[in-house]
Structure formats: C-alpha cells, structure tokens
C-alpha cells in the first residue's frame, strides 16, 4: 500500500512539475483553479470508494464524513472549473444571471438535508442513490454560485 501511495505521489509530482514549468506567472491562478478541480474530483471519488469498501459496516461517523466529502468535493469540482474557464477567458467574465437564482440555491441547500437523512437512514449501499443526487445538486450549486461571480472577482492578469 505504501509503495502504491509513493508511486502515485511520484507520478503526480512529475506531472505537476512538468505542467507548472510551462506556465507563466500570470497564468498561475488558472493553474491553481485547474488543479483545485482535481482535488474536488479526488474528494468525491474517495468518498464513494470509501463507502463502497465499508459497505454495511460503515459507522455513522463514517457516513457523515463520506457525505460531507462528496458534497464539498462536488462544489469544488464545478466551482474550480468555472473559475478556470473565466480566468482563462474561455467564458465571459460577466456574472451568470438566472431568474430566481437565490431561491434555487436555497432550495438546493435545503434539499441536501433530507438527502443526508436518506443516505444515513438507508444504510450503507442502499444510500448511494441519495449520495449521488446530493453530489449532483452540490455540483450544480457550485456551478451556479461561481458562474454568478464576475468582474473583479475573476479578473485576468
């Protein structure tokens, strides 16, 4: 296991150094946002994998940690990708507007609570659909909230 971890870290370090050496100082915010999205992917993947491994033996503490990691990781993935796209100039820097955006955001946040209850209440593997839906809602939330920022918050160098 330690050799796998060391090997994976080595590959990641070499890849990161290779990419970072080709990026100019003014492009560092984009690089950080892109790499940060990978942190979110890792959090979501680790949460799901951890739940699949533990299965029926998952404790309540473990389920809380899995749910929290999946939701925060999903927000991180989409939020970081939007930040990267705005900083790189791939999408307009102007804020994304959506009718009733605040109501929609509040509804998504509120929906995370019953989904949490469904995830924990259903037990390990039976709760995976609730965890999947919560992750999807969190990803949409991250997209909408980050796309709503603009101007000075996402200024390009």
């Amino acid at each position: 296991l330690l050799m796998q971890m060391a090997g994976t870290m080595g590959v990641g370090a070499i890849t990161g150094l290779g990419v970072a050496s080709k990026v100019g100082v003014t492009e560092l915010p984009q690089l950080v946002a892109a790499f940060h999205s990978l942190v979110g992917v890792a959090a979501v993947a680790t949460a799901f994998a951890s739940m699949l491994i533990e299965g029926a033996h998952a404790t309540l503490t473990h389920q809380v940690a899995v749910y929290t990691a999946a939701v925060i990781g999903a927000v991180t993935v989409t939020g970081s990708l939007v930040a990267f796209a705005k900083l790189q100039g791939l999408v307009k820097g102007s804020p994304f507007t959506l009718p009733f955006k605040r109501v929609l955001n509040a509804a998504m946040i509120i929906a995370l609570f019953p989904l949490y209850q469904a995830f924990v209440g259903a037990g390990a593997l039976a709760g995976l659909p609730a965890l999947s839906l919560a992750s999807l809602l969190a990803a949409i939330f991250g997209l909408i909230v980050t796309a709503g920022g603009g101007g000075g918050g996402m200024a390009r160098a």
Side-chain angles (χ1 to χ4, degrees), residues 46-88:
T46 301
F48 274 86
S50 176
M51 200 64 221
L52 291 172
I53 290 169
E54 287 296 313
H57 304 292
T59 64
L60 177 61
T61 302
H62 186 257
Q63 288 178 313
V64 170
V66 163
Y67 190 85
T68 304
V71 167
I72 292 173
V75 170
T76 301
V77 171
T78 54
S80 296
L81 288 175
V82 170
F84 169 79
K86 284 188 171 197
L87 290 165
Q88 191 66 26

Coordinates of all heavy atoms in Angstrom, one line a residue, residues 46-88:
T46 N -13.0 9.5 -3.6 CA -12.6 8.8 -2.4 C -13.8 8.6 -1.5 O -13.9 7.5 -0.9 CB -11.6 9.7 -1.6 OG1 -10.4 9.9 -2.5 CG2 -11.1 9.1 -0.3
A47 N -14.7 9.5 -1.4 CA -15.9 9.4 -0.6 C -16.7 8.2 -1.1 O -17.1 7.3 -0.3 CB -16.8 10.6 -0.7
F48 N -17.0 8.1 -2.4 CA -17.8 7.0 -3.0 C -17.0 5.6 -2.8 O -17.6 4.6 -2.4 CB -18.1 7.2 -4.4 CG -19.3 8.0 -4.6 CD1 -19.3 9.4 -4.6 CD2 -20.6 7.4 -4.8 CE1 -20.4 10.1 -4.8 CE2 -21.7 8.1 -5.0 CZ -21.7 9.5 -5.0
A49 N -15.7 5.6 -3.1 CA -14.9 4.4 -2.9 C -14.9 3.9 -1.4 O -15.1 2.8 -1.2 CB -13.5 4.6 -3.4
S50 N -14.8 4.9 -0.5 CA -14.8 4.6 0.9 C -16.1 3.9 1.3 O -16.1 3.0 2.1 CB -14.5 5.8 1.7 OG -14.5 5.6 3.1
M51 N -17.2 4.5 0.8 CA -18.5 3.9 1.1 C -18.7 2.5 0.5 O -19.2 1.6 1.2 CB -19.6 4.9 0.6 CG -20.9 4.7 1.3 SD -20.8 5.1 3.0 CE -21.8 3.8 3.7
L52 N -18.2 2.3 -0.7 CA -18.3 1.0 -1.3 C -17.4 0.0 -0.6 O -17.8 -1.2 -0.4 CB -17.9 1.1 -2.8 CG -18.9 1.9 -3.7 CD1 -18.3 2.1 -5.1 CD2 -20.2 1.2 -3.8
I53 N -16.3 0.4 -0.1 CA -15.4 -0.5 0.6 C -16.0 -0.9 2.0 O -16.0 -2.1 2.4 CB -14.0 0.1 0.8 CG1 -13.3 0.1 -0.6 CG2 -13.2 -0.7 1.8 CD1 -12.0 0.9 -0.6
E54 N -16.5 0.1 2.7 CA -17.0 -0.1 4.1 C -18.4 -0.9 4.0 O -18.7 -1.7 4.9 CB -17.2 1.2 4.8 CG -15.9 1.7 5.3 CD -15.2 0.9 6.3 OE1 -15.8 0.4 7.2 OE2 -14.0 0.7 6.1
G55 N -19.2 -0.5 3.0 CA -20.5 -1.2 2.8 C -21.3 -1.2 4.1 O -21.5 -0.1 4.7
A56 N -21.8 -2.3 4.5 CA -22.8 -2.4 5.6 C -22.1 -2.2 6.9 O -22.7 -2.0 7.9 CB -23.4 -3.8 5.6
H57 N -20.8 -2.1 6.9 CA -20.0 -1.9 8.2 C -19.7 -0.5 8.5 O -19.0 -0.2 9.5 CB -18.7 -2.7 8.2 CG -18.9 -4.2 7.9 ND1 -19.6 -5.0 8.8 CD2 -18.6 -4.9 6.8 CE1 -19.6 -6.2 8.3 NE2 -19.1 -6.2 7.1
A58 N -20.2 0.4 7.6 CA -19.9 1.9 7.8 C -20.6 2.4 9.1 O -21.8 2.2 9.3 CB -20.4 2.6 6.6
T59 N -19.9 3.1 9.9 CA -20.4 3.7 11.1 C -21.1 5.0 10.7 O -20.9 5.5 9.6 CB -19.3 4.0 12.1 OG1 -18.4 5.0 11.6 CG2 -18.6 2.7 12.5
L60 N -21.8 5.6 11.6 CA -22.5 6.9 11.4 C -21.4 7.9 11.2 O -21.6 8.8 10.3 CB -23.4 7.2 12.6 CG -24.0 8.6 12.5 CD1 -25.0 8.7 11.3 CD2 -24.8 8.9 13.8
T61 N -20.4 7.9 11.9 CA -19.3 8.9 11.7 C -18.7 8.8 10.3 O -18.5 9.8 9.7 CB -18.2 8.7 12.8 OG1 -18.8 8.7 14.1 CG2 -17.1 9.7 12.6
H62 N -18.5 7.6 9.9 CA -18.0 7.3 8.5 C -19.0 7.9 7.5 O -18.6 8.5 6.5 CB -17.7 5.8 8.3 CG -17.1 5.6 7.0 ND1 -17.7 5.0 5.9 CD2 -15.8 5.7 6.6 CE1 -16.9 4.9 4.9 NE2 -15.7 5.3 5.3
Q63 N -20.2 7.6 7.7 CA -21.2 8.1 6.7 C -21.3 9.6 6.7 O -21.4 10.2 5.6 CB -22.6 7.5 7.0 CG -22.7 6.0 6.7 CD -24.1 5.4 7.1 OE1 -24.5 5.7 8.2 NE2 -24.7 4.7 6.2
V64 N -21.2 10.2 7.8 CA -21.2 11.7 7.9 C -20.0 12.2 7.1 O -20.1 13.2 6.3 CB -21.2 12.2 9.3 CG1 -20.9 13.7 9.4 CG2 -22.5 11.9 10.0
A65 N -18.8 11.6 7.3 CA -17.6 12.1 6.7 C -17.7 11.9 5.1 O -17.3 12.7 4.3 CB -16.4 11.3 7.2
V66 N -18.3 10.7 4.7 CA -18.4 10.5 3.3 C -19.4 11.5 2.7 O -19.1 12.0 1.6 CB -19.0 9.0 3.1 CG1 -19.5 8.8 1.7 CG2 -17.9 8.0 3.4
Y67 N -20.5 11.7 3.3 CA -21.5 12.7 2.7 C -20.9 14.1 2.6 O -21.0 14.7 1.6 CB -22.7 12.7 3.6 CG -23.9 13.5 3.0 CD1 -24.7 12.8 2.1 CD2 -24.1 14.8 3.3 CE1 -25.8 13.5 1.5 CE2 -25.2 15.5 2.8 CZ -26.0 14.8 1.9 OH -27.1 15.5 1.3
T68 N -20.2 14.5 3.7 CA -19.6 15.8 3.7 C -18.5 15.9 2.6 O -18.5 16.9 1.9 CB -19.0 16.1 5.1 OG1 -20.0 16.0 6.1 CG2 -18.4 17.5 5.1
A69 N -17.7 14.9 2.5 CA -16.6 15.0 1.5 C -17.2 15.0 0.1 O -16.7 15.7 -0.8 CB -15.7 13.8 1.7
A70 N -18.2 14.2 -0.2 CA -18.8 14.1 -1.5 C -19.4 15.5 -1.9 O -19.3 16.0 -3.0 CB -19.8 13.0 -1.6
V71 N -20.2 16.1 -1.0 CA -20.8 17.4 -1.2 C -19.8 18.5 -1.4 O -19.9 19.2 -2.4 CB -21.9 17.7 -0.1 CG1 -22.3 19.1 -0.2 CG2 -23.0 16.7 -0.2
I72 N -18.9 18.6 -0.5 CA -17.9 19.7 -0.7 C -17.0 19.5 -1.9 O -16.7 20.4 -2.6 CB -17.0 19.8 0.6 CG1 -17.9 20.3 1.8 CG2 -15.8 20.7 0.4 CD1 -17.2 20.3 3.1
G73 N -16.7 18.2 -2.2 CA -15.9 17.9 -3.3 C -16.6 18.2 -4.6 O -16.0 18.8 -5.6
A74 N -17.9 18.0 -4.7 CA -18.7 18.3 -5.9 C -18.7 19.8 -6.1 O -18.6 20.2 -7.3 CB -20.1 17.7 -5.8
V75 N -19.0 20.5 -5.1 CA -19.0 22.0 -5.2 C -17.6 22.5 -5.7 O -17.5 23.4 -6.6 CB -19.3 22.7 -3.9 CG1 -19.1 24.2 -3.9 CG2 -20.7 22.4 -3.5
T76 N -16.5 21.9 -5.2 CA -15.2 22.3 -5.5 C -14.9 22.0 -7.0 O -14.3 22.8 -7.7 CB -14.2 21.5 -4.6 OG1 -14.4 21.8 -3.3 CG2 -12.7 21.9 -5.0
V77 N -15.3 20.8 -7.5 CA -15.1 20.5 -8.9 C -15.6 21.6 -9.8 O -14.9 22.1 -10.7 CB -15.7 19.1 -9.3 CG1 -15.6 18.9 -10.8 CG2 -15.0 18.0 -8.5
T78 N -16.9 21.8 -9.8 CA -17.6 22.7 -10.7 C -17.2 24.1 -10.5 O -16.9 24.9 -11.4 CB -19.1 22.6 -10.7 OG1 -19.6 22.7 -9.3 CG2 -19.5 21.2 -11.2
G79 N -17.0 24.5 -9.2 CA -16.6 25.9 -8.9 C -15.2 26.2 -9.4 O -15.0 27.2 -10.0
S80 N -14.3 25.3 -9.3 CA -13.0 25.5 -9.8 C -12.9 25.5 -11.3 O -12.1 26.2 -11.9 CB -12.0 24.4 -9.2 OG -12.0 24.5 -7.8
L81 N -13.7 24.6 -11.9 CA -13.7 24.6 -13.4 C -14.2 25.9 -14.0 O -13.7 26.4 -15.0 CB -14.5 23.4 -13.9 CG -13.8 22.0 -13.7 CD1 -14.8 20.9 -14.1 CD2 -12.5 22.0 -14.5
V82 N -15.3 26.4 -13.3 CA -15.8 27.7 -13.8 C -14.8 28.8 -13.6 O -14.6 29.7 -14.4 CB -17.1 28.1 -13.1 CG1 -17.6 29.5 -13.4 CG2 -18.2 27.1 -13.5
A83 N -14.1 28.8 -12.4 CA -13.1 29.8 -12.2 C -12.0 29.7 -13.2 O -11.5 30.7 -13.7 CB -12.5 29.6 -10.8
F84 N -11.5 28.5 -13.5 CA -10.5 28.3 -14.5 C -11.0 28.9 -15.9 O -10.2 29.6 -16.5 CB -10.2 26.8 -14.7 CG -9.3 26.5 -15.9 CD1 -8.0 26.8 -15.9 CD2 -9.9 26.0 -17.1 CE1 -7.2 26.5 -17.0 CE2 -9.2 25.8 -18.2 CZ -7.8 26.0 -18.2
A85 N -12.2 28.5 -16.3 CA -12.7 29.0 -17.6 C -12.8 30.5 -17.6 O -12.5 31.1 -18.7 CB -14.1 28.3 -17.8
K86 N -13.2 31.1 -16.6 CA -13.3 32.6 -16.5 C -11.9 33.2 -16.6 O -11.7 34.1 -17.3 CB -14.1 33.1 -15.3 CG -15.6 32.9 -15.5 CD -16.3 33.6 -14.3 CE -17.8 33.5 -14.6 NZ -18.5 34.5 -13.8
L87 N -11.0 32.7 -15.8 CA -9.6 33.2 -15.7 C -8.9 33.0 -17.0 O -8.1 33.9 -17.4 CB -8.9 32.6 -14.6 CG -9.3 33.0 -13.2 CD1 -8.7 32.1 -12.1 CD2 -8.9 34.4 -12.9
Q88 N -9.2 31.9 -17.7 CA -8.5 31.6 -19.0 C -9.2 32.4 -20.1 O -8.6 32.4 -21.2 CB -8.6 30.1 -19.2 CG -7.7 29.6 -20.3 CD -6.2 29.8 -20.1 OE1 -5.7 29.8 -19.0 NE2 -5.5 29.9 -21.2

